[in-house]
Amino acid sequence: MNHILQAGQQQRQRIETAAEAVANLNPGATPEVVLVLGTGLGALVSEISDSVTIPYQEIPGFPTSTAPGHAGRLHIGQIGRARVLAFEGRFHLYEGWQMDDIVLPIRISCRLGVSSAIFSNSCGGMNRDLQKGDLLILDDHINLLGANPLTGANHDDWGPRFPDMSQPYCLESAARLSQIASQEQIRASRGVYVAVAGPNLETRAEYRMLHSLGADVVGMSTVPEAIICAHEGIRASAISVVTDLCDPDNLKKVSVEEILSVAAEAEPKLTRLVVNFLND
């Protein structure tokens, strides 16, 4: 067996072992939805009833979340009619993790039977119509991470070697999220997310370039997970919270503390939107 196939088998074993451990810790109903909650956006877990909470370090082979605002816990329970897996904290390239680590929560969730995914993230707004605290419901993305989670051996029983990416985010779900946001008087629009490696924020010239490519917001996550959803045939939705404004002609310095503060202020809107969507 060559080293590529061997690495693929080792990763498959890692995923299946972790999924079995999670299943044993929660012998309840099959989960339907996986939630991956981004920077400073973990309060949604308070909406989960009858929940089981599993620290990441108790899941075999699972990474440790080191990013600010990422608690590093898996919650399993009920939101409305939906049985959910909620990962409170994700993993990023800038932390030093590899793509196999970053997408582990989604791969595990697929083994456990989920049929849809909802991702949240904090991002910088480049579209000048956006304001701090706005929500952006993703229609599409641009991958500038310099890596792809499907590189390496493919497991044909999980998904095709060359998955289609014409609709990385479910347009029907995006339309419904937009409708709910309007009903709830939440400022939300639809647009394109570009993922970069980070961890530094971008220069003025980089913001100009990224916006010219067609992106409305920029962040450091979400795209790898969405690619895995496309590979596995899982319906994906993603909601970005605009935590800072990236106008290259009037660029202000921003700190992590400011980003977390804006995310915390916007969090009740995000929670209301997702809970109503899951109850729909």
Side-chain angles (χ1 to χ4, degrees):
M1 181 182 296
N2 68 40
H3 71 281
I4 294 174
L5 293 177
Q6 186 175 25
Q9 287 301 321
Q10 289 173 345
Q11 177 64 1
R12 182 181 183 120
Q13 183 61 49
R14 178 191 185 194
I15 292 164
E16 291 176 344
T17 299
E20 183 179 2
V22 172
N24 289 338
L25 289 167
N26 177 60
T30 299
E32 304 162 69
V33 183
V34 55
L35 309 172
V36 179
L37 306 176
T39 300
L41 299 172
L44 181 60
V45 300
S46 65
E47 298 293 328
I48 302 174
S49 60
D50 303 319
S51 64
V52 174
T53 299
I54 307 169
Y56 286 174
Q57 57 266 32
E58 293 183 12
I59 304 173
F62 218 74
T64 302
S65 187
T66 68
H70 292 252
R73 295 185 293 244
L74 168 61
H75 306 266
I76 310 172
Q78 205 76 19
I79 297 180
R81 296 191 296 271
R83 186 74 174 169
V84 302
L85 298 171
F87 289 90
E88 189 184 2
R90 57 154 55 90
F91 312 108
H92 308 80
L93 281 179
Y94 67 74
E95 296 173 82
W97 300 116
Q98 301 301 310
M99 277 293 177
D100 283 346
D101 304 309
I102 292 168
V103 300
L104 196 59
I106 304 304
R107 288 295 196 194
I108 290 171
S109 300
C110 291
R111 308 285 73 73
L112 295 174
V114 303
S115 57
S116 63
I118 301 174
F119 308 120
S120 72
N121 62 63
S122 295
C123 66
M126 297 181 293
N127 185 319
R128 296 190 185 188
D129 291 334
L130 295 171
Q131 299 178 14
K132 284 185 182 180
D134 280 0
L135 305 185
L136 188 80
I137 299 160
L138 299 195
D139 276 335
D140 209 340
H141 69 232
I142 301 169
N143 182 12
L144 293 183
L145 290 168
N148 189 299
L150 300 180
T151 300
N154 187 64
H155 301 295
D156 294 339
D157 57 327
W158 289 4
R161 171 77 281 188
F162 303 106
D164 179 77
M165 290 296 294
S166 60
Q167 193 179 131
Y169 306 97
C170 175
L171 298 183
E172 181 181 342
S173 296
R176 182 59 187 143
L177 285 165
S178 296
Q179 184 180 35
I180 294 169
S182 178
Q183 291 168 351
E184 294 291 317
Q185 298 184 319
I186 295 170
R187 274 185 59 94
S189 55
R190 291 167 63 174
V192 177
Y193 177 97
V194 59
V196 296
N200 58 277
L201 304 186
E202 287 67 49
T203 67
R204 289 171 294 155
E206 288 167 340
Y207 285 131
R208 288 192 184 96
M209 176 195 71
L210 295 171
H211 189 40
S212 73
L213 291 176
D216 298 290
V217 297
V218 57
M220 304 171 192
S221 67
T222 302
V223 167
E225 295 103 315
I227 291 173
I228 295 302
C229 286
H231 184 247
E232 298 251 10
I234 300 300
R235 186 172 64 253
S237 302
I239 307 165
S240 296
V241 176
V242 178
T243 52
D244 56 297
L245 300 180
C246 309
D247 178 358
D249 297 325
N250 188 30
L251 196 58
K252 304 281 195 307
K253 288 187 176 183
V254 64
S255 67
V256 171
E257 291 74 20
E258 291 174 79
I259 288 171
L260 291 172
S261 175
V262 175
E265 289 177 10
E267 197 166 37
K269 296 184 292 186
L270 175 68
T271 296
R272 195 160 82 248
L273 178 58
V274 172
V275 168
N276 284 341
F277 179 73
L278 291 176
N279 280 320
D280 192 27

